[in-house]
Amino acid sequence: NDNGVIDLFAAETGLYLAEIDTLLGDRLEPLIRDRIRVEIDRRIFTPFLSTKPNEYYSWWETGTSNWTAVCMGSVACAFMHLRPDPARELLPRFEASMACFLRGYGDDGVCEEGGSYWNYGFGFFLLYADMVRTFTEGEIDHFKSPKVKAIATFYQKTLLSGNSCISFADANAEGAVNLGRTHYLMREYPDEVVMPNVPFTYTETAKFSVHLRSALWFSEEFAVSELPDCELYAPDAAWFVKRTAAYGFAAKGG
């Protein structure tokens, strides 16, 4: 935004431009590359560095919804791409915000915002978690967390029968999976995450950063498999899900 407010759309665009800069480097026209860096600095880096933690962006910096992962994940990754020295100093701030995002999930991994926002919010958390692990040479590794592991298997538990999907909260009634993201999670959790036999999607969010990972993380070694039987009871969210080969059933209290 021209007024220096970092919102979801500004953050996503900042990351997109940072990755274009990183990928194309000197192949970009100097005028374009200079303009990219000026705009990212003006719209992302300077506003963020001029605020103290939770001072101005608390509406998403300390939130527990998908906005936190999308905004902070995008800002953090843009810093790691183009401003690695400030990024190292800002790691505690990035991590504190991501801890807030993860508090929005129960220990059982349920996303109360619904499966569609698992795709969106957890998808951007995944971009951040992958990059920060590389950036810190494994010192920060969110994939060792049992809670992150539970969240990684959430979406496949919302599929009931065929392409039918739990539509609690702001979610679609038809399931779809991001192919590259699922392959990434299958590598991390080979005994937990499966590739369900439902349509693939690259359009749950029309963002370059998501599409780029869909291509980079794709692997031909993984095949579609039948979903295993599932029984999930999440007392905090008041969700009950049961799936067998014969039927799928879901109920929500409250």
Side-chain angles (χ1 to χ4, degrees):
N1 288 343
D2 285 329
N3 59 7
V5 174
I6 304 174
D7 63 10
L8 186 147
F9 305 105
E12 289 177 335
T13 304
L15 175 57
Y16 155 62
L17 291 173
E19 291 181 335
I20 290 293
D21 188 325
T22 301
L23 285 169
L24 298 182
D26 294 336
R27 286 175 289 176
L28 287 170
E29 289 289 336
L31 178 63
I32 295 175
R33 189 170 192 183
D34 289 345
R35 180 64 183 275
I36 285 175
R37 293 183 175 185
V38 166
E39 292 300 329
I40 293 176
D41 183 77
R42 182 170 72 91
R43 299 170 187 250
I44 303 296
F45 296 152
T46 296
F48 191 78
L49 290 171
S50 66
T51 61
K52 297 177 182 178
N54 310 326
E55 178 183 49
Y56 186 72
Y57 298 117
S58 59
W59 50 288
W60 55 254
E61 187 166 353
T62 60
T64 59
S65 74
N66 67 92
W67 275 71
T68 301
V70 177
C71 293
M72 186 59 84
S74 295
V75 169
C77 289
F79 267 103
M80 287 186 275
H81 274 298
L82 299 182
R83 295 285 190 86
D85 291 335
R88 291 184 180 91
E89 296 179 7
L90 289 166
L91 280 172
R93 186 173 176 182
F94 299 154
E95 284 293 295
S97 188
M98 288 302 176
C100 291
F101 166 71
L102 292 174
R103 282 202 295 273
Y105 288 75
D107 290 337
D108 46 29
V110 168
C111 177
E112 292 190 54
E113 289 190 283
S116 299
Y117 281 101
W118 176 92
N119 268 315
Y120 191 34
F122 185 66
F124 270 86
F125 172 82
L126 191 59
L127 305 190
Y128 169 81
D130 172 70
M131 192 164 182
V132 79
R133 179 167 63 178
T134 301
F135 186 74
T136 63
E137 298 181 337
E139 182 179 343
I140 297 176
D141 189 350
H142 287 280
F143 299 102
K144 293 179 179 179
S145 163
K147 186 170 187 177
V148 172
K149 182 178 181 180
I151 296 170
T153 64
F154 167 72
Y155 193 73
Q156 67 192 45
K157 295 172 183 175
T158 70
L159 298 168
L160 297 176
S161 178
N163 196 32
S164 296
C165 184
I166 294 172
S167 58
F168 299 153
D170 191 3
N172 297 321
E174 294 184 349
V177 296
N178 181 293
L179 198 59
R181 180 187 304 150
T182 306
H183 286 177
Y184 185 98
L185 293 173
M186 291 174 78
R187 281 190 289 271
E188 290 295 325
Y189 308 114
D191 297 328
E192 302 291 337
V193 178
V194 298
M195 172 60 70
N197 187 19
V198 298
F200 304 139
T201 178
Y202 300 96
T203 57
E204 79 272 1
T205 174
K207 307 301 176 189
F208 173 82
S209 299
V210 173
H211 300 328
L212 176 63
R213 269 72 172 192
S214 295
L216 293 175
W217 293 342
F218 172 81
S219 175
E220 293 185 352
E221 67 180 287
F222 298 118
V224 169
S225 61
E226 294 300 320
L227 286 169
D229 289 354
C230 168
E231 182 169 314
L232 169 68
Y233 172 56
D236 291 338
W239 285 30
F240 176 75
V241 182
K242 187 172 178 64
R243 181 183 61 231
T244 72
Y247 68 90
F249 173 83
K252 183 182 185 306

